[in-house]
Amino acid sequence: MNRSHVIRLNTTPEQDIYFRKACGVARHAYNWALARWKEARAEGKRVKMKDLKAEYNKIKGEQFPWCYEVTKCAPEQAFADLGQALANYWRMKKEGTQPKLKHPRTDGEGAGFPHFKSKKRDRLSFYLANDKFSVDGHTLHVPKLGDVNMTEELRFQGTIMSATISYRAGWWFVSIAVEVEHETPTHHGGSVGIDLGIKTLATCSDGEKFENQKHYRRNLGRIQGLSKGLSRKVEGSQNWWKNAKKLAKAHYRVACQRQDSLHKMTTKVARTYALVGLEDLNTKGMLANHCLAQVVSDASFFEVKRQLLYKSEQYGGFVQLVDRWFPSSKTCHVCGWVKEDLTLADRVWVCEQCGIVHDRDLNAAIIVETEALRLITHVPVVASSGHKFACGAERSGPFEGETVCCEAGTTVL
């Protein structure tokens, strides 16, 4: 399996200039190829990326001699990136999954069509092939530059596949992809259902809760102050750039805090439970609510789902997604009665059929676990929503061999 390790670089001013040049060359090649592709389409012709790449390599010596100041990997990967972007556009158009635009694009293209890259707006990055660089301890050797100091050594042992150098919040980072040997272990944990929320980030069916630390909300004062200071400076001035860097670092600090807490939570869940039931929430739809958009973005529901999917597979577990329309919060986990008039303000409710007092989040987590086990073992559930359930493609994990779910007393094959 491929693993990636992101390491911060300690660059000198000369190395910083080289990296910016390499990013500029990659951006120029991408924009040149996109412009040529659109010109050919206007003439009714179809061109392949390999033909555009050959044409670029033929003329760059005369028209773009500054390309030779950096590694040749920078412009070459731009053609592969554009080819992938166009392939994604045609796939979304065929499947009807294109994003919706509030306003038409100025270039007249459809939603999802690749944009021209900007020096100011887009992230600076360039690619290195595995045969064009080397790693030795804390040293990264970059072609036509030399040795660059890394803040830590590469953690993974295996075949180095590629590297991407990028710029963020005033620092340069290298992401090294390594192919490592991995044997999926047999997971002997139990099953669990997880209910994601704003007040409590995750409530497990066994009663364990993970706090929503609201990192953005806690750092909002400093971010607002820096944003106000940036707006009062002349754009492009030295003080403007200094303030912009401080603001970027403030946002980066929040992102690091959020990622740290999410990784700790998802790793603990993936290591503990063999089967994880999780609601397939419509996060994009929730962001359309202006009152909830900030707290939902701060909670990062989609990131929780993404991390659980790959970590459960890594530890030999399994994630079963439950349909977003399944009434997990409304259904009594004891008798199966559904409270149709349940509102978001009801954090505790009483079942009118059996009289049990339910904590909304804990009850939802138990129901999610029950539904996940039903989808896995195909046994009847206590209550059904009547909607189409998420199964088949909406699951992750190596379900080969036998995994024992001790808590439910169910053996899943």
Side-chain angles (χ1 to χ4, degrees):
M1 65 182 300
N2 288 342
R3 301 293 301 275
S4 177
H5 187 191
V6 181
I7 306 173
R8 185 161 64 90
L9 301 175
N10 297 319
T11 58
T12 63
E14 293 77 13
Q15 293 170 348
D16 182 83
I17 293 175
Y18 177 91
F19 287 159
R20 291 184 180 276
K21 285 183 178 180
C23 294
V25 170
R27 180 176 60 251
H28 174 268
Y30 185 94
N31 291 341
W32 180 91
L34 180 56
R36 289 286 295 114
W37 190 92
K38 296 177 74 171
E39 290 175 4
R41 183 186 59 174
E43 297 173 359
K45 301 178 182 178
R46 294 184 61 184
V47 292
K48 298 180 179 179
M49 284 299 118
K50 64 178 183 179
D51 298 330
L52 292 178
K53 182 179 177 181
E55 181 182 352
Y56 184 83
N57 289 334
K58 186 177 180 180
I59 66 174
K60 70 178 182 180
E62 298 179 359
Q63 300 185 19
F64 320 120
W66 31 265
C67 290
Y68 293 101
E69 296 180 10
V70 299
T71 172
K72 68 175 185 178
C73 299
E76 287 182 353
Q77 183 62 23
F79 294 91
D81 294 340
L82 178 59
Q84 185 62 52
L86 291 171
N88 293 338
Y89 171 72
W90 297 121
R91 176 182 53 80
M92 290 189 297
K93 194 170 184 179
K94 181 179 179 181
E95 297 175 354
T97 58
Q98 289 178 277
K100 295 181 180 180
L101 296 176
K102 293 184 179 179
H103 306 285
R105 287 177 48 161
T106 55
D107 57 1
E109 300 291 352
F113 190 84
H115 291 264
F116 287 104
K117 291 192 174 183
S118 169
K119 181 178 181 179
K120 294 183 179 180
R121 294 189 303 271
D122 291 282
R123 188 177 181 183
L124 301 178
S125 68
F126 68 97
Y127 173 89
L128 290 174
N130 60 348
D131 60 336
K132 300 301 179 183
F133 74 98
S134 60
V135 177
D136 182 17
H138 286 261
T139 302
L140 172 71
H141 182 80
V142 180
K144 295 188 177 181
L145 176 62
D147 295 338
V148 182
N149 178 258
M150 301 190 300
T151 55
E152 60 178 312
E153 296 184 2
L154 183 63
R155 299 176 188 172
F156 307 123
Q157 299 293 330
T159 305
I160 296 178
M161 306 301 294
S162 63
T164 300
I165 295 179
S166 58
Y167 182 81
R168 185 176 183 183
W171 292 300
W172 288 97
F173 296 86
V174 59
S175 176
I176 304 176
V178 183
E179 185 180 33
V180 298
E181 296 182 359
H182 177 71
E183 295 183 2
T184 304
T186 301
H187 207 308
H188 298 286
S191 64
V192 71
I194 298 178
D195 178 70
L196 299 178
I198 295 174
K199 191 173 183 180
T200 302
L201 179 60
T203 302
C204 300
S205 56
D206 58 2
E208 185 175 6
K209 295 184 178 183
F210 294 92
E211 175 190 3
N212 183 7
Q213 299 183 10
K214 300 179 182 178
H215 300 287
Y216 183 77
R217 177 71 63 85
R218 285 161 44 197
N219 293 271
L220 188 57
R222 174 168 174 77
I223 292 175
Q224 287 178 336
L226 291 172
S227 299
K228 183 184 292 186
L230 185 67
S231 66
R232 294 178 176 179
K233 292 176 174 58
V234 179
E235 184 175 356
S237 64
Q238 287 298 320
N239 286 333
W240 186 89
W241 282 111
K242 291 178 183 177
N243 205 107
K245 185 179 292 187
K246 290 181 181 179
L247 180 59
K249 288 187 176 181
H251 280 289
Y252 178 68
R253 182 172 184 269
V254 173
C256 290
Q257 290 175 341
R258 183 186 298 115
Q259 283 285 68
D260 179 68
S261 61
L262 292 182
H263 274 296
K264 289 177 179 176
M265 182 194 76
T266 54
T267 299
K268 182 178 180 180
V269 171
R271 285 178 173 176
T272 306
Y273 305 102
L275 174 63
V276 179
L278 188 68
E279 284 184 302
D280 186 21
L281 297 176
N282 181 18
T283 307
K284 188 175 181 180
M286 298 171 70
L287 293 177
N289 187 338
H290 181 71
C291 298
L292 296 176
Q294 187 184 99
V295 288
V296 170
S297 299
D298 200 7
S300 298
F301 293 151
F302 182 82
E303 181 65 14
V304 173
K305 169 185 169 183
R306 186 190 71 85
Q307 291 185 16
L308 281 176
L309 286 174
Y310 82 81
K311 288 184 181 181
S312 293
E313 185 175 1
Q314 176 184 342
Y315 291 113
F318 188 82
V319 174
Q320 174 62 55
L321 299 181
V322 176
D323 189 84
R324 64 188 57 169
W325 302 113
F326 184 76
S328 57
S329 300
K330 301 179 180 181
T331 306
C332 174
H333 71 270
V334 177
C335 64
W337 180 76
V338 179
K339 183 177 177 61
E340 298 291 350
D341 58 346
L342 188 70
T343 63
L344 289 174
D346 299 328
R347 309 312 304 174
V348 177
W349 58 279
V350 181
C351 177
E352 297 180 6
Q353 183 165 317
C354 63
I356 300 295
V357 180
H358 292 297
D359 176 88
R360 178 194 181 98
D361 296 337
L362 180 59
N363 176 74
I366 296 174
I367 289 295
V368 167
E369 179 186 8
T370 305
E371 177 65 9
L373 288 170
R374 188 196 71 84
L375 291 173
I376 295 295
T377 57
H378 305 288
V379 297
V381 74
V382 176
S384 175
S385 63
H387 291 274
K388 185 177 181 180
F389 295 126
C391 56
E394 298 189 354
R395 56 175 60 174
S396 172
F399 233 57
E400 300 175 1
E402 185 179 85
T403 302
V404 181
C405 301
C406 307
E407 295 180 4
T410 305
T411 302
V412 184
L413 300 178

